[in-house]
DNA sequence: GATAATATGAGAAATTTACCACAAAGTCCC
DNA sequence: GGGACTTTGTGGTAAATTTCTCATATTATC
């Protein structure tokens, strides 16, 4: 069984679709057309239909998409019909905020571990999660079979920390450090850096 | 004078180039080839040459790119050869972390204002920045001629807050709220949502 | 039940984006 | 000074992505 390979750019839009229709469900809507969904997201209706049709026939002519059904399908496709345990590395401002964020639980994720190297932080409890010594990180992550990590450490140690994570089984890293991580084939990395986004936007701004 | 329109996808890579060569400069390197830069970023050398050539001839055959010169050019192109005052809306975990982040200053940005609606937070000082009442937001932003904002408010009030920001002159919004903002033509919005990134990555993970 | 209106899924076309290949220019080393 | 390397910028090509178009199906209305 060789499923057709779905372009990554298509996959990258699925979470946006899921977020939008989840909101629509909360609003009490039952059906949505590709046109309405597209209007909310600033994406063409054709694009949405094409994307979704890669995974199956979820819509109905004349009616559109049944929101609870489409939501269920997207959740399944994105594999968030389970809860992924996530390790947060670094308990500074960013790591702490991630540990406290309430938005993970209902979208398929749980901050299961939190690490830092600062003795002053180790042992503290943030949102019910104890800060562990990063020296024990590899052992604990391996024991916990954790596949997903969020990296919120200083730029200087980001690469070496990522290498350690990958060595003990982590396969997806959400990197908050302002460096490009080099990883081997098969490891997923996504980057979050506000400066990158701001600089992208200032290109289009006129000086004032 | 009609400059050729640069594709946005090209512009979106420029901050990555800038970040990478800034790091190379710190490492004491003087010249870099498109091939070396590409290897660091996971981007093809041809892509980098093509992207940069859209803005001028910055390289030299046989030598590559002079790092300080290229850096200067990218800084100019991205308009971060000045410091942009930025307003942060919301002084919760995310807003506070943004106010404390030391990485803005040297990359063209300064958190000039911080707002919240919680009386318990108003008046507090975070990293030298006083938390102001969001009720005064519009007046203060208009007075400060602020064009860039980072939105770190609850999802429920994100759209209305964005509308207010735009009404008083903000033209670029970095949105941390997990909602798609609808904005008029000419307003730049970028989104940061860890859940979106995590869900994108779990698509590729095998259950364990 | 017929007709008009609505909306999907998919093949085809158009557009955008990325890559290749090479001439030209610079460097290095003997 | 000359030959072997290296590297850029670019025109052309290939690949990827988006949009268009339309047959087909469903719903609503009279």
């Amino acid at each position: 069984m060789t499923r057709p390979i779905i372009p990554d750019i298509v996959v990258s839009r699925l979470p946006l679709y899921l977020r939008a229709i989840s909101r629509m469900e909360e609003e009490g809507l039952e059906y949505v057309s590709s046109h309405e969904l597209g209007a909310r997201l600033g994406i063409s209706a054709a694009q949405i239909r094409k994307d979704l049709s890669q995974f199956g026939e979820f819509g109905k002519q004349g009616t559109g998409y049944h929101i609870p059904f489409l939501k269920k399908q997207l959740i399944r496709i994105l594999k968030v019909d389970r809860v992924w345990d996530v390790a947060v590395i670094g308990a500074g401002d960013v790591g702490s905020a991630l540990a406290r964020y309430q938005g993970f639980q209902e979208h398929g994720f749980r901050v299961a571990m939190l690490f830092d190297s600062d003795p002053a932080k180790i042992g503290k409890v943030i949102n019910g999660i104890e800060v562990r010594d990063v020296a024990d990180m590899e052992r604990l992550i391996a024991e916990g079979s954790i596949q997903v990590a969020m990296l919120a450490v200083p730029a200087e140690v980001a690469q070496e920390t990522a290498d350690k994570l990958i060595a003990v089984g982590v396969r997806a890293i959400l990197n908050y450090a302002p460096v490009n991580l080099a990883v081997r084939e098969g490891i997923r990395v996504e980057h979050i850096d506000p400066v990158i986004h701001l600089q992208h936007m200032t290109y289009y701004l006129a000086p004032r």
Side-chain angles (χ1 to χ4, degrees), chain A residues 177-190:
Chain A
V179 289
N180 254 81
L181 297 178
V183 298
R184 67 168 166 79
E185 184 91 4
I187 305 296
R188 306 286 315 182
V189 177
E190 305 240 344

Side-chain angles (χ1 to χ4, degrees), chain A residues 120-156:
Chain A
K121 285 182 188 145
I122 295 165
K124 279 179 61 176
V125 176
I126 296 173
N127 191 29
I129 306 153
E130 187 188 343
V131 179
R132 318 291 272 271
D133 190 339
V134 80
D136 301 327
M137 177 181 82
E138 287 152 275
R139 180 174 58 78
L140 290 168
I141 284 179
E143 283 173 6
S145 292
I146 288 181
Q147 291 193 78
V148 183
M150 296 193 274
L151 198 52
V153 299
E156 301 77 41

